[in-house]
Every structure is written in C-alpha cells, then in structure tokens.
Amino acid sequence: MNTSLNQMITELRSTAQVAASKPVGKVDAASGGADFGEALKNAIEQVNAAQQEAQKMSEGFITGSNTEANLQDVMIASQKASLSFQQMVQVRNKLVNAYQDIMNMGV
C-alpha cells in the first residue's frame, strides 16, 4: 500500500511539473507505463481545437464567408466544444480533489 501511495504521489508531482512547464523524465514505453502528462496535454489540445473550430464556423456563418456552413452545423460544433470543455473541467476538478485527499492523508 505504501509503495502504491508513493508511486501516486510521484505521478502527481510529475504532472504538476508538466503543468508548470518544467522538464520531467519521460516514462519508458517499453516498461508499459503511460505518460499521463502527455495524455493530459493531448486532451487539452483536442478541446482547444474543438473550440477554435466552433469559433471559426460561427464567424464564417455570421459574416457569410462560409457558405457551406448552416446554422445546425454551427450549433452542433458549438455544443461539442462546450461539452468537451465542461468534461475537461470536471476531470481537472477530480484530479485536484484526489491530489488534496492524498496530501491530507497521514502516512
């Protein structure tokens, strides 16, 4: 139990370093480990891309420069971007709560 707790704390610290833009050692793919920081970064980039695409479609529809976009497509893209952002916020909240719970544990 103590080993898994230490491992989890190490992973959380590594994630905090990634968030602070400090270089950390990559997890070796041969060991079967996943790079949590990289997965988190990819998820954030996907949310950002969805938001940018929705904004681009919305602006194109409003200005009339995108004649292929209709109102339904614009609204669907906007809702997808909103839902993906809300999901990312909820995951962040769960991670923060887990980190706080771990930090409050007596060892």
Side-chain angles (χ1 to χ4, degrees):
M1 168 127 178
N2 194 14
T3 305
S4 63
L5 180 62
N6 288 336
Q7 182 181 10
M8 187 178 295
I9 290 172
T10 303
E11 288 178 12
L12 287 172
R13 286 183 180 150
S14 149
T15 303
Q17 287 178 341
V18 169
S21 300
K22 295 180 183 175
V24 295
K26 294 285 183 187
V27 174
D28 186 16
S31 68
D35 188 358
F36 179 76
E38 190 66 30
L40 190 61
K41 179 183 173 190
N42 289 339
I44 292 171
E45 288 174 352
Q46 288 175 353
V47 170
N48 186 41
Q51 288 180 329
Q52 288 179 348
E53 180 63 26
Q55 180 69 26
K56 181 179 171 184
M57 285 181 71
S58 177
E59 288 174 357
F61 180 76
I62 290 170
T63 61
S65 63
N66 187 357
T67 57
E68 295 178 7
N70 58 31
L71 182 59
Q72 293 84 2
D73 292 339
V74 172
M75 293 305 296
I76 288 171
S78 177
Q79 286 300 312
K80 283 182 180 180
S82 176
L83 286 173
S84 64
F85 181 75
Q86 290 174 12
Q87 180 184 16
M88 182 186 68
V89 168
Q90 291 301 319
V91 168
R92 184 218 46 185
N93 291 343
K94 293 289 183 183
L95 287 171
V96 168
N97 287 339
Y99 179 76
Q100 289 173 344
D101 289 344
I102 290 170
M103 295 310 291
N104 290 331
M105 293 174 88
V107 180

